[in-house]
Amino acid sequence: MAFLSGLSAFPITPIDLDGRVDTAALKRLVARLCIAGVDSIGLLGSTGTYMYLSREERRRALDATIEEANGVPVVAGVGALRTDEAVRLAQDAKAAGAAAGLLAAVSYAPLTEDEVFEHFSTVARKSGLPIVIYDNPGTTHFRFTAVLVERLAQVPGIVAIKNPTEKAEEIASHLGQQRSATPKGFSIGYSGDWNAAQAMICGADTWYSVLAGILPDVCLRIVRAAQNGDAEEALRIDASLAPIWELFKRFSSLRTVYTMADLLGVCRAEPPRPILPLPPFAKEQVAHCLTLLEQDLA
C-alpha cells in the first residue's frame, strides 16, 4: 500500500443543521488538498465527524470527494457501533472507489481485545476493503495494545495503523517496537499534529493530519523535509506552528479548523451539534495565529 505514506490530509465535512453534507463546500476543501499535492485524503475521520453522519450522507460525501480527488487516494472512515454496520460502510467505501477504510473501535459498552479483533477481522474479510487500524483512545476510550496490533497485522486486508502521539520522546521506541511486531510493508503512521514532525523524523510512514485538511502546504513542507532527511528544517517549520498547536490543545483541533475554514473563506460551516463553534474571543486568537503564520512563512 504505497499510498499509505507521506501526508494524509483530513478535512472537515461541512453539513447543515439537518446533517446534510454540503458537497460543494466539501469539494472546495478537497480541491485545495489536491492542488497542494497531498499523498492521500482522509475523509470522514474524527475531523470529518463521521459518527454524526448517516450512511446516506457518508455516501454523498464519498462520491463528492472521490470525484473531486481525481485519482488522489481516499482513506474513508468506516467506523460504526455494530459490526454489520461497519461492514456495510466499508462495502460502500469500496464501491465508491476509496483506496482504504479507517476503522476505529467505536463502542458504547466497553470492548475486550477479542471483541475488537473479531470486529476488525470481520470488516476486513466481508468488505474486501484494505483496513487501517484507527487507534484513537481519546474518543473511543479503547487503547490498542502491542499484542492486539500484532494479531491484527496478521489478518489479510488489515494493512496499516494510525497511532496517537502523546509523548514525543516515546515515539522512536514505540515505532521500533511496532515495526518489529508487524509484517514488512505494514504502514505505520501517527496523528496528534503537534508531535507528528518528530514521528516523521523518526521514520514513520504517514502523518495523518488535521491541520493539513485546511493548510496542506505547510504540512507538506514538514513531511518532505523529514522524508529528505532534513530534520532541522522539519523542526523549524513545526516550531512556526507552535501557536496553532496550542490552540488545538486548548480548544480542540476540530473546533479550530472549522474556524480556520471560515476565516480563510473556504467554507462557512459549523460542527454538528451538540459541538459548538468557538466563541468570538477564541476566533480572534485563531485569526491572529493565521496572520503570524503567514508572516513567518513569507
Side-chain angles (χ1 to χ4, degrees), residues 163-176:
N163 290 294
T165 54
E166 296 172 350
K167 297 180 180 179
E169 64 274 14
E170 296 178 358
I171 293 172
S173 61
H174 178 271
L175 177 60

Side-chain angles (χ1 to χ4, degrees), residues 49-295:
T49 56
Y50 70 106
M51 285 301 293
Y52 297 85
L53 299 175
S54 68
R55 181 183 179 188
E56 178 185 2
E57 291 306 310
R58 292 203 210 185
R59 283 176 173 172
R60 293 182 66 243
L62 266 167
D63 288 340
T65 296
I66 289 171
E67 180 182 357
E68 188 66 34
N70 194 30
V72 176
V74 174
V75 180
V78 296
L81 284 169
R82 294 205 320 263
T83 301
D84 62 317
E85 290 180 337
V87 168
R88 286 191 287 271
L89 290 166
Q91 290 170 337
D92 288 347
K94 183 179 180 182
L102 182 66
L103 182 59
V106 180
S107 68
Y108 178 78
L111 299 175
T112 68
E113 290 201 5
D114 284 342
E115 288 167 340
V116 171
F117 179 82
E118 289 301 322
H119 178 66
F120 275 69
S121 301
T122 301
V123 174
R125 182 179 72 255
K126 289 190 173 182
S127 71
L129 180 71
I131 296 297
V132 178
I133 300 166
Y134 185 10
D135 188 1
N136 188 17
T139 59
T140 64
H141 309 293
F142 181 89
R143 185 177 293 276
F144 286 78
T145 64
V147 171
L148 180 56
V149 172
E150 184 174 5
R151 287 178 67 194
L152 286 170
Q154 309 303 320
V155 174
I158 297 181
V159 299
I161 186 167
K162 176 180 185 283
N163 290 294
T165 54
E166 296 172 350
K167 297 180 180 179
E169 64 274 14
E170 296 178 358
I171 293 172
S173 61
H174 178 271
L175 177 60
Q177 291 167 3
Q178 208 162 74
R179 283 260 187 250
S180 65
T182 53
K184 183 179 180 180
F186 186 85
S187 175
I188 300 175
Y190 290 84
S191 57
D193 279 4
W194 46 87
N195 286 329
Q198 186 62 43
M200 295 305 292
I201 290 167
C202 289
D205 295 301
T206 312
W207 174 11
Y208 295 96
S209 174
V210 175
L211 185 63
I214 190 64
L215 294 177
D217 296 281
V218 65
C219 297
L220 270 169
R221 289 173 59 185
I222 292 174
V223 169
R224 298 299 181 243
Q227 289 175 326
N228 291 330
D230 193 346
E232 183 178 352
E233 176 66 1
L235 291 174
R236 184 192 69 79
I237 300 169
D238 179 67
S240 72
L241 297 174
I244 291 177
W245 303 152
E246 289 306 311
L247 291 176
F248 276 18
K249 294 173 186 177
R250 182 176 180 187
F251 301 117
S252 84
S253 58
L254 176 65
R255 296 178 182 87
T256 302
V257 293
Y258 266 91
T259 300
M260 287 180 172
D262 184 11
L263 291 171
L264 294 169
V266 181
C267 69
R268 301 197 68 177
E270 293 185 355
R273 296 295 187 269
I275 305 170
L276 295 175
L278 292 182
F281 81 91
K283 290 182 179 179
E284 291 177 4
Q285 292 183 36
V286 175
H288 180 63
C289 280
L290 287 175
T291 300
L292 291 177
L293 179 61
E294 182 179 12
Q295 293 171 350

